[in-house]
Amino acid sequence: MVSRAESAAETRRALVEAAAALLDEGGPDAVTLRAVGARAGVSRGAPYGHFPDKDHLLAEVAAQSWRAIGDALDGLIADGTRSPAERLERALAGLLEVGRRRPHAYALMFTAPTEDHPDAVAEVSRTQDQFLSIVTEVVGDPLRAGPVGALLMTSVQGIVAMENRGHLTVEKWRVTGDELLTMLIDKIAR
């Protein structure tokens, strides 16, 4: 028999998954609490019992997205078969892939979470710390890791933005986003 708490947790998970799917399909405007409830197959009022408003629901989608990246970074950090530069490249390539496959979720992830959304704040902070530890392994200096990490993150942001808007084309620039990423890491890893 399923407990009330387990049922509530399952409903909450279904609502977040439904919101993420709607976001991926149609952007933030497609995410309404009514549409999320319908997509999740729950009562019309169920979303309101778990989230006070759309903003809180989207903050949870962002937190879940960061959590997934953080979990992948945990695996990379623990992977002793790859060099630090390879781990860094995999970390950035994973973020790049999210930006390519889920552009609306990616944009949502990079809106600044507020203290109203402590789970999102915690996941962003956790992931940034993991990323900085990977960068530190490559550059060897924790003080240098911050600026280098910021350079890499903003570069990925630029690559994603240009690709998603059709401005980073091989015909024009003679380079792909993946090649740019490799070039950056090669320069930093020297």
Side-chain angles (χ1 to χ4, degrees), residues 95-139:
L95 190 57
L96 191 59
E97 186 60 26
V98 172
R100 289 170 173 159
R101 284 187 307 104
R102 303 186 62 218
H104 298 296
Y106 182 85
L108 178 66
M109 290 167 59
F110 283 94
T111 59
T114 67
E115 63 276 352
D116 293 339
H117 310 292
D119 287 348
V121 170
E123 290 302 332
V124 169
S125 180
R126 169 186 170 233
T127 305
Q128 289 174 346
D129 289 345
Q130 291 168 305
F131 178 68
L132 285 171
S133 76
I134 294 171
V135 173
T136 300
E137 284 185 64
V138 173
V139 299

Short mmCIF file of all heavy atoms in Angstrom, two decimals, residues 95-139:
data_model
loop_
_atom_site.label_atom_id
_atom_site.label_comp_id
_atom_site.label_asym_id
_atom_site.label_seq_id
_atom_site.Cartn_x
_atom_site.Cartn_y
_atom_site.Cartn_z
N LEU A 95 27.06 20.21 -20.65
CA LEU A 95 26.29 21.44 -20.55
C LEU A 95 25.88 21.95 -21.93
O LEU A 95 24.74 22.38 -22.14
CB LEU A 95 27.11 22.50 -19.80
CG LEU A 95 26.39 23.76 -19.40
CD1 LEU A 95 25.18 23.47 -18.52
CD2 LEU A 95 27.36 24.69 -18.67
N LEU A 96 26.80 21.88 -22.85
CA LEU A 96 26.52 22.27 -24.24
C LEU A 96 25.38 21.44 -24.81
O LEU A 96 24.48 21.97 -25.48
CB LEU A 96 27.79 22.12 -25.08
CG LEU A 96 27.83 22.69 -26.47
CD1 LEU A 96 27.59 24.18 -26.48
CD2 LEU A 96 29.18 22.39 -27.10
N GLU A 97 25.37 20.16 -24.51
CA GLU A 97 24.32 19.27 -25.01
C GLU A 97 22.95 19.64 -24.45
O GLU A 97 21.95 19.61 -25.16
CB GLU A 97 24.66 17.81 -24.68
CG GLU A 97 23.72 16.81 -25.28
CD GLU A 97 23.66 16.86 -26.81
OE1 GLU A 97 24.64 17.28 -27.45
OE2 GLU A 97 22.61 16.48 -27.36
N VAL A 98 22.90 20.01 -23.18
CA VAL A 98 21.63 20.46 -22.60
C VAL A 98 21.15 21.71 -23.34
O VAL A 98 19.98 21.83 -23.67
CB VAL A 98 21.76 20.73 -21.08
CG1 VAL A 98 20.50 21.37 -20.53
CG2 VAL A 98 22.07 19.44 -20.33
N GLY A 99 22.06 22.62 -23.58
CA GLY A 99 21.69 23.85 -24.30
C GLY A 99 21.18 23.59 -25.70
O GLY A 99 20.30 24.29 -26.20
N ARG A 100 21.70 22.55 -26.34
CA ARG A 100 21.27 22.20 -27.69
C ARG A 100 19.93 21.47 -27.69
O ARG A 100 19.06 21.73 -28.50
CB ARG A 100 22.32 21.32 -28.37
CG ARG A 100 23.57 22.04 -28.74
CD ARG A 100 24.64 21.07 -29.17
NE ARG A 100 25.81 21.75 -29.70
CZ ARG A 100 27.01 21.20 -29.78
NH1 ARG A 100 27.20 19.95 -29.37
NH2 ARG A 100 28.02 21.89 -30.27
N ARG A 101 19.80 20.48 -26.81
CA ARG A 101 18.60 19.63 -26.81
C ARG A 101 17.41 20.24 -26.08
O ARG A 101 16.28 19.97 -26.43
CB ARG A 101 18.91 18.28 -26.14
CG ARG A 101 19.71 17.32 -26.96
CD ARG A 101 19.84 15.93 -26.30
NE ARG A 101 20.34 15.98 -24.92
CZ ARG A 101 19.60 15.83 -23.82
NH1 ARG A 101 18.32 15.62 -23.90
NH2 ARG A 101 20.14 15.90 -22.63
N ARG A 102 17.70 21.05 -25.07
CA ARG A 102 16.64 21.60 -24.23
C ARG A 102 16.85 23.10 -24.03
O ARG A 102 17.09 23.56 -22.91
CB ARG A 102 16.63 20.87 -22.88
CG ARG A 102 16.46 19.36 -23.02
CD ARG A 102 16.32 18.67 -21.69
NE ARG A 102 15.13 19.15 -21.02
CZ ARG A 102 15.06 19.36 -19.70
NH1 ARG A 102 16.09 19.13 -18.93
NH2 ARG A 102 13.94 19.80 -19.16
N PRO A 103 16.76 23.88 -25.11
CA PRO A 103 17.12 25.29 -25.02
C PRO A 103 16.29 26.09 -24.00
O PRO A 103 16.82 27.00 -23.36
CB PRO A 103 16.94 25.81 -26.44
CG PRO A 103 16.08 24.81 -27.13
CD PRO A 103 16.34 23.50 -26.46
N HIS A 104 15.01 25.77 -23.86
CA HIS A 104 14.19 26.51 -22.90
C HIS A 104 14.59 26.18 -21.47
O HIS A 104 14.66 27.07 -20.62
CB HIS A 104 12.70 26.23 -23.12
CG HIS A 104 12.21 26.64 -24.47
ND1 HIS A 104 12.18 27.96 -24.89
CD2 HIS A 104 11.70 25.92 -25.50
CE1 HIS A 104 11.70 28.03 -26.11
NE2 HIS A 104 11.40 26.80 -26.51
N ALA A 105 14.84 24.91 -21.19
CA ALA A 105 15.29 24.51 -19.85
C ALA A 105 16.65 25.12 -19.56
O ALA A 105 16.92 25.59 -18.45
CB ALA A 105 15.33 23.00 -19.73
N TYR A 106 17.52 25.13 -20.57
CA TYR A 106 18.85 25.70 -20.41
C TYR A 106 18.75 27.19 -20.06
O TYR A 106 19.43 27.66 -19.14
CB TYR A 106 19.64 25.49 -21.70
CG TYR A 106 21.06 25.99 -21.66
CD1 TYR A 106 22.06 25.18 -21.14
CD2 TYR A 106 21.41 27.24 -22.15
CE1 TYR A 106 23.39 25.61 -21.11
CE2 TYR A 106 22.71 27.68 -22.12
CZ TYR A 106 23.70 26.87 -21.60
OH TYR A 106 24.99 27.30 -21.56
N ALA A 107 17.93 27.91 -20.78
CA ALA A 107 17.75 29.34 -20.49
C ALA A 107 17.21 29.53 -19.07
O ALA A 107 17.64 30.43 -18.34
CB ALA A 107 16.82 29.98 -21.51
N LEU A 108 16.26 28.69 -18.69
CA LEU A 108 15.69 28.76 -17.35
C LEU A 108 16.77 28.51 -16.29
O LEU A 108 16.80 29.17 -15.25
CB LEU A 108 14.57 27.73 -17.22
CG LEU A 108 13.89 27.60 -15.87
CD1 LEU A 108 13.13 28.89 -15.54
CD2 LEU A 108 12.94 26.41 -15.87
N MET A 109 17.66 27.57 -16.56
CA MET A 109 18.72 27.26 -15.61
C MET A 109 19.63 28.46 -15.35
O MET A 109 20.19 28.59 -14.26
CB MET A 109 19.57 26.10 -16.14
CG MET A 109 18.87 24.77 -16.14
SD MET A 109 19.76 23.53 -17.12
CE MET A 109 21.34 23.49 -16.29
N PHE A 110 19.76 29.33 -16.32
CA PHE A 110 20.67 30.45 -16.17
C PHE A 110 19.96 31.75 -15.80
O PHE A 110 20.55 32.82 -15.90
CB PHE A 110 21.53 30.61 -17.44
CG PHE A 110 22.63 29.60 -17.47
CD1 PHE A 110 22.47 28.40 -18.14
CD2 PHE A 110 23.81 29.82 -16.79
CE1 PHE A 110 23.47 27.45 -18.15
CE2 PHE A 110 24.82 28.87 -16.79
CZ PHE A 110 24.66 27.68 -17.47
N THR A 111 18.72 31.64 -15.36
CA THR A 111 18.11 32.78 -14.69
C THR A 111 18.50 32.67 -13.23
O THR A 111 18.60 31.57 -12.69
CB THR A 111 16.57 32.78 -14.84
OG1 THR A 111 16.05 31.58 -14.29
CG2 THR A 111 16.14 32.93 -16.28
N ALA A 112 18.77 33.77 -12.61
CA ALA A 112 19.28 33.73 -11.24
C ALA A 112 18.18 33.29 -10.27
O ALA A 112 17.16 33.96 -10.16
CB ALA A 112 19.80 35.11 -10.84
N PRO A 113 18.41 32.16 -9.58
CA PRO A 113 17.42 31.76 -8.58
C PRO A 113 17.49 32.70 -7.38
O PRO A 113 18.55 33.26 -7.09
CB PRO A 113 17.85 30.34 -8.21
CG PRO A 113 19.30 30.28 -8.51
CD PRO A 113 19.52 31.23 -9.66
N THR A 114 16.38 32.87 -6.73
CA THR A 114 16.33 33.76 -5.57
C THR A 114 16.19 32.94 -4.30
O THR A 114 15.98 31.73 -4.34
CB THR A 114 15.13 34.72 -5.68
OG1 THR A 114 13.92 33.95 -5.57
CG2 THR A 114 15.14 35.48 -7.00
N GLU A 115 16.29 33.63 -3.18
CA GLU A 115 16.15 32.95 -1.89
C GLU A 115 14.76 32.33 -1.72
O GLU A 115 14.56 31.49 -0.86
CB GLU A 115 16.47 33.89 -0.73
CG GLU A 115 15.56 35.10 -0.60
CD GLU A 115 15.96 36.28 -1.50
OE1 GLU A 115 17.02 36.26 -2.12
OE2 GLU A 115 15.16 37.22 -1.57
N ASP A 116 13.81 32.72 -2.57
CA ASP A 116 12.49 32.09 -2.55
C ASP A 116 12.54 30.65 -3.05
O ASP A 116 11.57 29.91 -2.90
CB ASP A 116 11.50 32.87 -3.43
CG ASP A 116 11.20 34.25 -2.88
OD1 ASP A 116 11.40 34.47 -1.68
OD2 ASP A 116 10.74 35.10 -3.68
N HIS A 117 13.64 30.29 -3.68
CA HIS A 117 13.79 28.96 -4.28
C HIS A 117 15.09 28.32 -3.79
O HIS A 117 16.04 28.16 -4.56
CB HIS A 117 13.78 29.07 -5.80
CG HIS A 117 12.64 29.88 -6.32
ND1 HIS A 117 11.33 29.47 -6.24
CD2 HIS A 117 12.61 31.09 -6.91
CE1 HIS A 117 10.54 30.39 -6.76
NE2 HIS A 117 11.29 31.39 -7.17
N PRO A 118 15.16 27.95 -2.52
CA PRO A 118 16.42 27.45 -1.96
C PRO A 118 16.95 26.18 -2.63
O PRO A 118 18.17 26.00 -2.70
CB PRO A 118 16.09 27.22 -0.48
CG PRO A 118 14.60 27.15 -0.40
CD PRO A 118 14.08 27.98 -1.54
N ASP A 119 16.07 25.32 -3.12
CA ASP A 119 16.56 24.10 -3.79
C ASP A 119 17.33 24.46 -5.06
O ASP A 119 18.37 23.88 -5.34
CB ASP A 119 15.41 23.17 -4.15
CG ASP A 119 14.82 22.47 -2.94
OD1 ASP A 119 15.44 22.52 -1.86
OD2 ASP A 119 13.73 21.88 -3.07
N ALA A 120 16.81 25.42 -5.81
CA ALA A 120 17.49 25.83 -7.04
C ALA A 120 18.82 26.50 -6.71
O ALA A 120 19.84 26.22 -7.36
CB ALA A 120 16.60 26.77 -7.85
N VAL A 121 18.82 27.36 -5.69
CA VAL A 121 20.07 28.02 -5.29
C VAL A 121 21.11 26.97 -4.88
O VAL A 121 22.27 27.04 -5.28
CB VAL A 121 19.82 29.01 -4.12
CG1 VAL A 121 21.13 29.52 -3.54
CG2 VAL A 121 18.95 30.17 -4.60
N ALA A 122 20.69 25.98 -4.11
CA ALA A 122 21.61 24.93 -3.65
C ALA A 122 22.16 24.12 -4.81
O ALA A 122 23.36 23.80 -4.84
CB ALA A 122 20.90 24.02 -2.64
N GLU A 123 21.33 23.78 -5.78
CA GLU A 123 21.80 22.97 -6.92
C GLU A 123 22.75 23.75 -7.81
O GLU A 123 23.74 23.21 -8.30
CB GLU A 123 20.62 22.42 -7.72
CG GLU A 123 19.85 21.34 -7.00
CD GLU A 123 20.68 20.13 -6.60
OE1 GLU A 123 21.69 19.80 -7.25
OE2 GLU A 123 20.31 19.50 -5.59
N VAL A 124 22.46 25.03 -8.03
CA VAL A 124 23.37 25.86 -8.83
C VAL A 124 24.72 25.94 -8.12
O VAL A 124 25.77 25.74 -8.74
CB VAL A 124 22.78 27.27 -9.07
CG1 VAL A 124 23.83 28.20 -9.65
CG2 VAL A 124 21.57 27.20 -9.97
N SER A 125 24.70 26.20 -6.83
CA SER A 125 25.94 26.33 -6.07
C SER A 125 26.73 25.02 -6.08
O SER A 125 27.95 25.02 -6.30
CB SER A 125 25.63 26.75 -4.63
OG SER A 125 26.81 26.88 -3.90
N ARG A 126 26.04 23.91 -5.87
CA ARG A 126 26.71 22.59 -5.87
C ARG A 126 27.38 22.34 -7.22
O ARG A 126 28.55 21.94 -7.28
CB ARG A 126 25.67 21.51 -5.61
CG ARG A 126 26.18 20.10 -5.84
CD ARG A 126 25.04 19.08 -5.70
NE ARG A 126 25.47 17.78 -6.15
CZ ARG A 126 24.84 17.05 -7.04
NH1 ARG A 126 23.71 17.47 -7.59
NH2 ARG A 126 25.29 15.88 -7.40
N THR A 127 26.68 22.59 -8.30
CA THR A 127 27.21 22.32 -9.63
C THR A 127 28.38 23.24 -9.95
O THR A 127 29.38 22.81 -10.52
CB THR A 127 26.08 22.44 -10.67
OG1 THR A 127 25.03 21.57 -10.28
CG2 THR A 127 26.56 22.05 -12.04
N GLN A 128 28.26 24.51 -9.58
CA GLN A 128 29.38 25.42 -9.82
C GLN A 128 30.62 25.00 -9.03
O GLN A 128 31.73 25.05 -9.55
CB GLN A 128 28.97 26.85 -9.47
CG GLN A 128 27.99 27.45 -10.45
CD GLN A 128 27.48 28.81 -10.02
OE1 GLN A 128 27.64 29.24 -8.88
NE2 GLN A 128 26.83 29.50 -10.96
N ASP A 129 30.42 24.55 -7.80
CA ASP A 129 31.57 24.08 -7.00
C ASP A 129 32.21 22.85 -7.64
O ASP A 129 33.44 22.74 -7.68
CB ASP A 129 31.12 23.75 -5.57
CG ASP A 129 30.78 24.99 -4.76
OD1 ASP A 129 31.14 26.11 -5.17
OD2 ASP A 129 30.13 24.82 -3.69
N GLN A 130 31.39 21.93 -8.13
CA GLN A 130 31.93 20.74 -8.80
C GLN A 130 32.72 21.15 -10.04
O GLN A 130 33.82 20.64 -10.29
CB GLN A 130 30.80 19.80 -9.22
CG GLN A 130 30.08 19.13 -8.08
CD GLN A 130 28.81 18.48 -8.58
OE1 GLN A 130 27.97 19.13 -9.19
NE2 GLN A 130 28.69 17.20 -8.33
N PHE A 131 32.15 22.04 -10.81
CA PHE A 131 32.81 22.51 -12.02
C PHE A 131 34.15 23.16 -11.69
O PHE A 131 35.18 22.88 -12.32
CB PHE A 131 31.89 23.46 -12.78
CG PHE A 131 32.51 24.04 -14.02
CD1 PHE A 131 32.77 23.24 -15.11
CD2 PHE A 131 32.84 25.38 -14.07
CE1 PHE A 131 33.37 23.77 -16.25
CE2 PHE A 131 33.43 25.91 -15.21
CZ PHE A 131 33.69 25.10 -16.30
N LEU A 132 34.15 24.00 -10.67
CA LEU A 132 35.40 24.67 -10.28
C LEU A 132 36.44 23.67 -9.80
O LEU A 132 37.65 23.87 -10.01
CB LEU A 132 35.13 25.73 -9.21
CG LEU A 132 34.49 27.01 -9.74
CD1 LEU A 132 34.08 27.92 -8.59
CD2 LEU A 132 35.42 27.74 -10.70
N SER A 133 36.02 22.59 -9.16
CA SER A 133 37.00 21.58 -8.74
C SER A 133 37.63 20.90 -9.96
O SER A 133 38.83 20.59 -9.95
CB SER A 133 36.37 20.56 -7.79
OG SER A 133 35.56 19.64 -8.46
N ILE A 134 36.83 20.69 -11.00
CA ILE A 134 37.38 20.10 -12.24
C ILE A 134 38.34 21.09 -12.91
O ILE A 134 39.42 20.70 -13.35
CB ILE A 134 36.23 19.69 -13.19
CG1 ILE A 134 35.42 18.54 -12.58
CG2 ILE A 134 36.78 19.29 -14.56
CD1 ILE A 134 34.13 18.21 -13.34
N VAL A 135 37.96 22.35 -12.95
CA VAL A 135 38.84 23.37 -13.54
C VAL A 135 40.13 23.46 -12.74
O VAL A 135 41.23 23.56 -13.31
CB VAL A 135 38.13 24.74 -13.62
CG1 VAL A 135 39.10 25.83 -14.07
CG2 VAL A 135 36.93 24.68 -14.54
N THR A 136 40.04 23.42 -11.42
CA THR A 136 41.23 23.49 -10.57
C THR A 136 42.20 22.37 -10.88
O THR A 136 43.42 22.58 -10.91
CB THR A 136 40.84 23.48 -9.08
OG1 THR A 136 40.00 24.60 -8.81
CG2 THR A 136 42.07 23.57 -8.18
N GLU A 137 41.68 21.18 -11.12
CA GLU A 137 42.56 20.05 -11.49
C GLU A 137 43.33 20.35 -12.77
O GLU A 137 44.48 19.94 -12.92
CB GLU A 137 41.74 18.78 -11.72
CG GLU A 137 41.26 18.10 -10.48
CD GLU A 137 40.57 16.80 -10.84
OE1 GLU A 137 41.26 15.90 -11.37
OE2 GLU A 137 39.36 16.69 -10.60
N VAL A 138 42.71 21.05 -13.69
CA VAL A 138 43.36 21.34 -14.97
C VAL A 138 44.38 22.45 -14.83
O VAL A 138 45.50 22.33 -15.32
CB VAL A 138 42.30 21.71 -16.05
CG1 VAL A 138 42.98 22.17 -17.33
CG2 VAL A 138 41.39 20.52 -16.32
N VAL A 139 44.01 23.55 -14.16
CA VAL A 139 44.92 24.70 -14.10
C VAL A 139 45.88 24.64 -12.92
O VAL A 139 46.88 25.35 -12.91
CB VAL A 139 44.14 26.04 -14.09
CG1 VAL A 139 43.32 26.18 -15.36
CG2 VAL A 139 43.28 26.21 -12.85
#
